[in-house]
Amino acid sequence: DVTDELGPQKNPKKGKIGYTIHLDSLFTLDSVAYVNFPAPIQALIDSTSEASLIKSQSPFSINCLDAERSRISTLLRNNGYYYYSPSCASYLADTFAVDNKTQLRFQLANGIPDGALHKWYIGKLDVNLRKSAREVLTDSVQRRYLTIHFNGKKSPIMPRVVLRNMRLRPRQEFSYEKYQESASKINATGVFSSTDFQFTPRTDSDTLDLRLNCTFDK
């Protein structure tokens, strides 16, 4: 309930208004359950239960619900689930079973594509080295899972320079954290004016091929 009161001022053209707010009972979380997730994802969520941002007896907070959904998404994307996103899960809240308490279920949403529910692994790595965005590359050098495309008789930089700053490795599971670290380290070299990571899934497999487009700084 909110009530207001007008207060007189010396200037008749001005006024002061005060609001009094009477809060209702605080809703808290009676119970929290994570349900309907495939067994490997459920095990991963359970292993980080201590880091959960929604716990029994804590206040019912929309901000905490959103933050927990983002935490789970980041957790899964750092452990191979490339296509998982916060929208893949939703909340179901029962506020009637217990007075002033909420029984909360964090559950997998309906209609999630299969690609979001299994791990993805890095496949081959292609690196394009250009002096300008429109340059056509005609030469390449290959080292097992790594292929560097360029113009000229030899690569402008050695393959190990790229690999030294690349945290995503072929045949390892995708990690969003390692992707961000790789982009940060490559950009920090000061060699390139722009970089672009492109992940392409292979048909009927759990492999993501990575293409890294690099444009040299003038």
Side-chain angles (χ1 to χ4, degrees), residues 128-137 151 192-194 213-218:
N128 295 329
L129 301 176
R130 292 184 171 91
K131 295 180 180 180
S132 65
R134 297 183 179 181
E135 183 180 13
V136 178
L137 305 180
N151 266 336
F192 306 109
S193 61
S194 66
N213 296 308
C214 299
T215 302
F216 285 103
D217 197 344
K218 292 182 179 181

Side-chain angles (χ1 to χ4, degrees), residues 60-212:
F60 183 89
S61 166
I62 296 298
N63 289 337
C64 288
L65 299 186
D66 289 340
E68 175 66 3
R69 185 155 55 176
S70 295
R71 184 189 75 85
I72 295 298
S73 177
T74 300
L75 171 68
L76 295 180
R77 296 203 72 199
N78 282 337
N79 285 273
Y81 295 89
Y82 174 75
Y83 287 103
Y84 190 90
S85 67
S87 63
C88 290
S90 60
Y91 289 102
L92 183 64
D94 185 347
T95 60
F96 294 99
V98 183
D99 289 342
N100 298 325
K101 289 185 179 293
T102 303
Q103 294 180 343
L104 191 67
R105 288 161 57 98
F106 183 75
Q107 59 191 25
L108 197 66
N110 294 325
I112 303 302
D114 293 338
L117 301 180
H118 69 77
K119 290 189 176 185
W120 291 84
Y121 298 85
I122 301 299
K124 64 179 182 179
L125 173 61
D126 283 277
V127 181
N128 295 329
L129 301 176
R130 292 184 171 91
K131 295 180 180 180
S132 65
R134 297 183 179 181
E135 183 180 13
V136 178
L137 305 180
T138 57
D139 299 282
S140 64
V141 58
Q142 187 170 359
R143 298 288 186 272
R144 297 189 65 187
Y145 295 98
L146 170 67
T147 303
I148 294 184
H149 303 267
F150 54 89
N151 266 336
K153 295 182 179 180
K154 63 179 182 178
S155 173
I157 58 177
M158 298 296 290
R160 65 173 178 267
V161 176
V162 177
L163 292 176
R164 184 172 58 209
N165 296 297
M166 180 65 68
R167 294 295 177 262
L168 293 171
R169 296 291 183 174
R171 309 181 73 178
Q172 292 183 359
E173 64 183 28
F174 171 81
S175 168
Y176 183 71
E177 183 177 32
K178 289 182 179 180
Y179 154 62
Q180 287 186 311
E181 186 179 355
S182 299
S184 177
K185 286 183 174 294
I186 291 175
N187 288 328
T189 62
V191 176
F192 306 109
S193 61
S194 66
T195 57
D196 177 40
F197 287 73
Q198 296 178 349
F199 297 92
T200 304
R202 291 185 192 174
T203 304
D204 298 327
S205 75
D206 58 358
T207 301
L208 289 173
D209 289 325
L210 171 57
R211 181 178 298 274
L212 174 58

